[in-house]
Amino acid sequence: MSAKKEPETVGFWLPNQCSTAPKMDILTPHKLAVVFLIQEYLSLKKPAEKAPKPDFTARDRRKFCLLLLKLIQYPDMAYKDLYGLLTSPQYGIHRAHLEEFEKLMRMLKTVGIEILFDLYTVIEKLTTDNANSYQIGIVGLYLRRVFVTLDKMNFPEFMALYRNAVAYYEKGVRAVQISSSAFSNSESFMKLEAQAVYKDRNSSSKWSTKQAELFVAQQSTLLQSNEMDALQPKEMQTRLNEIVHDHPLYSQAYFLSYLNSTRVRDFFNAVDALHRSFDRSTLNSMALAQDSKEYQYSALNLAILHAQFNHNEEALASLRECIMLAQENSDKICLQLAHAWLCLLDSSKPHFSEKNIANKELITLVHSISLGIQSLVKSSAATGYTPAKLFEVLLKSDILNCQTSMIDLIANGISERAALWAMYGKNEVSSLCSQLLLNSDLKSLGKTYNGEGICQSLCSLIIWLALQGEFHLALIVLKHTRGRFPRYPLSRSWMIVDHYISSMQAIFRGEWTDASNACYQLYTLDKHLSLLQRARLALARLNVNSADLLLRKLLNDETIEPLTRTRALILNAHLLTISTATTKMEVVNVLNEALAIANKNYLDYEKAIIEMHFTHILLTMKLPHQALKSIRTCLENILANGGIYDRAKVLFLFVKCILAVEQTPANKLAKIGKCLPMLEQAVQHFQKLECYVKVKDVYIFLATFYNEMDMHEERNKYAYKFRQVEEQYPTAREYLGLFF
């Protein structure tokens, strides 16, 4: 028994399908005009080659070839727009060529249908002449298709074509004479190769099969690799409606319509387009084969659609159906893709095993294997897996991606590595990874990659700039990111970052209303991060009850990641510190719980922050030696990887510990002289963040210290600095002296 032949390729975004377009394209007046242009060009070119004319140069021939390529590839346009291109600065044809073309178009109206019969003879001669270079290539194929179409037409169809051509020319000539904007569409035509839009679409104009396929392929690629160069959603949908009108069974046009609806968050039209896509695909594939393999991809894409709109239950149900159908059809590629999405939606499911990486039988599944590795790394990082092992597995994904030149996965791998370094507290290394990706020249077929990995790296860089107090630079990068990724789903990342750094900056400045608005806007995008920021805001405002409710809501959620839980526990320790009804041991217990989670998940920077809080508690318990020992363990990590707010806090606390250890006034005075540069640096950091409450805390500490040392001149100096800041930026007294 012979084995059934598998389809050669089954694409993830655009599944393999049989041709749904008619075998023969409809010949339109625009296509006749293009053939007339070719005919007159050849008649003008031959004399020029024998006796070259000074005004008919190689530049003129090159311009016409570029124009001809675009006229063949893109859909029909009105005669007015065609005439505008023929006379435009970039694509304009030679004056003699234009005159002969206009003469032939006028003859079409005056001479009659004989022009079409003559055209049939001319094309036959061109396609059969061995000396003619247009036998091969795109132009030769175009002429053959026109010739075959003319040969198959009966006389009534011939007459209908002639009448349409005459009406097309008459309407276009009137438009050129009436309107002075015949050149208005030439620049939009030149703007992008894929952006050929013609608003004045003639009723007899049609998208050919190849033109529709080219348009769908180009726009689908741009949506995945560089959305900024793709058509705007409204314009793309207009073009797709035209294609669907001309080719109702062309399923890939419906699929592109689904992708277009998804990026503007139009759920209902996206579902409708997806259903129509696979209805047409299945209808045509079953006409040629009894066992269709399109159903599992229909379920898979429906699951992806629900996942993008956060409908997890519906997505899991569709994935179960997809897996069942893929198992029935023994489709390994679909199973791998479904498994990858299952791991993303349900963390309890088993992940990809590493033995699949070296299995030579799965060489066709490289893309899905690489996706599986990256999914494995992401989920394993949240469960406390060894970092060295994760980076080793991620390296295998990088090797696979580079060997197969999968640029999107190369970028995603680097951005995921940057995210891992940030989670483990190595923020400088994370920033370097992001900059490495942004400075890489990732190109495919001359097109620069501009996908998810680039967006994530830009967002990571924005947060790092904000932590360094460079909010102006962060906003510049944010504006750049907004321009490069204007629509969903990639826009979600920079919107989260925008609201996050806005709330962070407002909290530093004490602008409570702006901070609250930013936190509430963040809630619809990232619930857990919003609750964390709202709790931080409540603590900054000394709103103990609100902070307690928010932290309880966050900590009672079992789905939060270890990093978020650790940060919530640190805030809870803050809450207990400022509450009068709690003891120091309760605070220590909460910090120990946070430290256990940080140790289990290798969260080094969070461990350093916890040690800093232990130092503060030991200092308040009058244990300066233990406090100094504790802060020495975290000082280097925070100074190397932290933002300037944490660096300023740890420097201030370090100086407090050093002075608390010394017993005699002479030793304290000797130490304060060495510590003043650190305090000045802390003040500079706080001023850069416009966190003037902490600036006042430093000045109060120095004024109090010099008062205890009976050094009135220095005391008055820092008291005067405090007064200057207070007059310019007044603050309620209860906000002073807080360790937050």
Side-chain angles (χ1 to χ4, degrees), residues 101 213 225 247 322 368 513 535 541 558 634 706:
F101 170 72
E213 289 175 354
S225 62
H247 304 285
C322 170
S368 57
T513 303
R541 300 183 65 177
E558 299 297 332
C634 68
Y706 284 117

Side-chain angles (χ1 to χ4, degrees), residues 353-561:
S353 60
E354 295 181 39
K355 65 181 181 180
N356 287 342
I357 302 170
N359 192 343
K360 295 182 180 179
E361 295 180 358
L362 299 178
I363 192 65
T364 59
L365 307 178
V366 172
H367 192 277
S368 57
I369 290 173
S370 184
L371 280 174
I373 293 174
Q374 293 182 5
S375 173
L376 168 67
V377 170
K378 178 181 178 180
S379 56
S380 299
T383 58
Y385 207 71
T386 308
K389 191 66 174 178
L390 292 181
F391 283 111
E392 180 183 347
V393 174
L394 197 57
L395 180 61
K396 296 179 180 179
S397 174
D398 292 340
I399 294 173
L400 282 175
N401 299 336
C402 292
Q403 287 176 342
T404 53
S405 299
M406 293 186 290
I407 294 180
D408 56 337
L409 293 181
I410 291 174
N412 288 347
I414 298 176
S415 64
E416 186 170 16
R417 181 177 282 103
L420 283 177
W421 282 120
M423 188 185 75
Y424 293 133
K426 309 301 180 184
N427 293 313
E428 284 289 347
V429 182
S430 173
S431 176
L432 287 175
C433 286
S434 298
Q435 293 178 54
L436 173 66
L437 176 58
L438 295 175
N439 285 280
S440 300
D441 189 17
L442 296 179
K443 288 187 177 181
S444 177
L445 300 176
K447 301 290 185 180
T448 302
Y449 175 75
N450 189 42
E452 182 182 7
I454 303 295
C455 181
Q456 296 296 338
S457 295
L458 284 170
C459 291
S460 176
L461 195 60
I462 292 169
I463 293 176
W464 180 239
L465 288 171
L467 290 174
Q468 303 310 309
E470 304 290 349
F471 287 103
H472 178 66
L473 295 178
L475 291 177
I476 292 175
V477 180
L478 178 62
K479 182 179 179 181
H480 172 75
T481 308
R482 185 186 292 113
R484 291 181 67 171
F485 307 97
R487 285 176 173 69
Y488 188 87
L490 296 182
S491 61
R492 180 177 180 273
S493 298
W494 60 257
M495 289 172 67
I496 291 175
V497 170
D498 185 11
H499 298 318
Y500 175 67
I501 65 172
S502 297
S503 63
M504 181 197 308
Q505 186 180 24
I507 291 174
F508 288 150
R509 293 176 174 178
E511 298 171 349
W512 310 130
T513 303
D514 293 341
S516 179
N517 292 336
C519 290
Y520 280 112
Q521 290 174 336
L522 183 60
Y523 187 83
T524 59
L525 300 168
D526 192 326
K527 175 183 175 182
H528 295 157
L529 183 59
S530 174
L531 291 174
L532 199 65
Q533 286 297 99
R534 287 170 60 191
R536 183 174 281 111
L537 172 62
L539 286 173
R541 300 183 65 177
L542 297 178
N543 195 336
V544 177
N545 293 331
S546 296
D548 183 54
L549 291 175
L550 291 168
L551 290 173
R552 286 181 184 275
K553 183 178 181 180
L554 192 59
L555 293 172
N556 290 335
D557 190 347
E558 299 297 332
T559 63
I560 63 173
E561 296 181 352

